[in-house]
Amino acid sequence: MRQRRNMLIVLELVAICLALMILIPFLMILVNSFKDIRESALFGLSLPREWHFSNYKEIFVQAHIVRGFMNSFLISGCVVLSVNVFASMAAFIIQRRDDRFLRTAYYLFIMGLIVPVSIVPTIKLMGDLHIRGTYFSLIMYYTAVLLPFAVFLLVGFMKSIPRELDEAALLEGCGYFRLYVQIILPLIITVLVTVAIVVMVSVWNDFFGPFYLMTDSTKWTIVLQIFNFVTMYSTNWGVVFAFMVVVVAPILLIYLFLQRYIIDGLTAGSLKG
């Protein structure tokens, strides 16, 4: 009993250390966002000698921050919708029809979790399709990248939904589309919320996708707007850190309020199958 208690204490200490490793960078960004240009360049954790709240005012004056937020919400929202719709449909068919073709399709989705994205062929393909630099190209890019994760998660969860529900609905004259919309979708809403949160966080925080694929600066996401504060000869890191706080705050709040759904969704599929 004593040995087990000591082990729990050690595990708690390790967990606290890991939590501090994650929280310290956030603390550094928050503290330095209130410092002047010289003090913020030191990247220290000490409190500022003089609090510069004007850093937050400056980002709203210099940057097209409202336009960046609108672009990010538009792209993130469309990606969440397309991933949830396409992944839930694919997972429903893959799990319910256990044949060789769909098993192969499922394994190809799993490979999408492992194989890295090749950005050069992606740019070439979008150029040939004449869609590079459009919202549609970026939405399709993120949908393709995040679809394997969503399919993997939903297929695992759908194994816990009894097939008897499908058979009973079909015997009552329910069509396949109505079965999917009225019976399956309400049962997987927890996992869909999980997928939505993970997808939104991934799209919102991504820098390289819009950087390589979005040629029009008026369509840049909020993350790319940081270029407005970085110059070749001097950078006011206090303003940059203030901008980072503003960018991270919405998605961090969403994550904190909905983290329970992430845990429930990730563990729901492990109950059966």
Side-chain angles (χ1 to χ4, degrees):
M1 188 68 180
R2 185 176 180 181
Q3 184 178 4
R4 183 179 179 182
R5 182 189 298 176
N6 293 335
M7 182 63 68
L8 290 175
I9 292 174
V10 172
L11 291 176
E12 288 180 359
L13 292 175
V14 172
I16 292 172
C17 292
L18 292 175
L20 289 175
M21 290 176 61
I22 297 173
L23 292 175
I24 286 175
F26 285 101
L27 179 62
M28 187 197 72
I29 292 173
L30 182 62
V31 169
N32 284 279
S33 67
F34 296 100
K35 297 179 179 180
D36 59 19
I37 183 171
R38 183 174 299 179
E39 194 177 0
S40 62
L42 299 176
F43 298 93
L45 286 172
S46 61
L47 294 176
R49 298 174 184 174
E50 183 180 352
W51 294 80
H52 288 264
F53 295 95
S54 59
N55 290 340
Y56 288 88
K57 181 180 178 181
E58 189 172 346
I59 65 176
F60 287 95
V61 173
Q62 290 190 16
H64 302 286
I65 193 167
V66 176
R67 185 173 64 193
F69 270 117
M70 290 178 63
N71 290 335
S72 292
F73 277 117
L74 173 64
I75 294 170
S76 301
C78 291
V79 173
V80 167
L81 180 62
S82 61
V83 168
N84 273 335
V85 170
F86 295 141
S88 59
M89 288 182 175
F92 175 61
I93 298 298
I94 289 172
Q95 205 285 317
R96 287 308 194 245
R97 291 182 57 187
D98 189 18
D99 55 35
R100 181 178 299 178
F101 173 76
L102 291 175
R103 281 198 300 270
T104 303
Y106 178 64
Y107 293 143
L108 290 176
F109 277 116
I110 299 301
M111 289 179 60
L113 293 170
I114 305 170
V115 178
V117 178
S118 185
I119 197 67
V120 175
T122 302
I123 294 174
K124 180 67 169 60
L125 176 62
M126 290 183 177
D128 293 340
L129 296 174
H130 304 289
I131 61 172
R132 187 187 175 194
T134 62
Y135 291 121
F136 177 76
S137 65
L138 203 56
I139 292 169
M140 290 297 100
Y141 164 77
Y142 283 125
T143 301
V145 171
L146 297 169
L147 199 62
F149 164 76
V151 171
F152 172 75
L153 199 63
L154 286 164
V155 168
F157 178 75
M158 285 189 182
K159 291 179 181 179
S160 64
I161 301 177
R163 292 177 180 264
E164 287 77 6
L165 288 176
D166 302 2
E167 297 171 357
L170 293 174
L171 288 175
E172 293 293 331
C174 181
Y176 286 104
F177 183 76
R178 187 180 173 189
L179 168 66
Y180 163 76
V181 173
Q182 295 187 355
I183 297 178
I184 300 299
L185 279 183
L187 295 175
I188 62 174
I189 192 66
T190 302
V191 186
L192 292 180
V193 172
T194 302
V195 172
I197 297 171
V198 174
V199 169
M200 183 126 187
V201 171
S202 301
V203 176
W204 186 276
N205 293 332
D206 185 56
F207 177 86
F208 293 103
F211 180 74
Y212 287 116
L213 302 177
M214 195 61 72
T215 56
D216 187 357
S217 61
T218 62
K219 299 177 182 177
W220 279 1
T221 59
I222 189 64
V223 174
L224 284 183
Q225 299 293 337
I226 198 169
F227 279 126
N228 293 316
F229 308 106
V230 179
T231 63
M232 183 181 297
Y233 300 105
S234 66
T235 300
N236 189 341
W237 286 105
V239 178
V240 172
F241 286 132
F243 182 82
M244 294 170 110
V245 172
V246 172
V247 171
V248 172
I251 206 69
L252 184 61
L253 290 174
I254 292 174
Y255 179 81
L256 289 176
F257 282 115
L258 300 179
Q259 61 177 332
R260 177 173 62 87
Y261 294 99
I262 297 180
I263 299 173
D264 292 343
L266 291 174
T267 57
S270 63
L271 297 177
K272 183 179 179 181

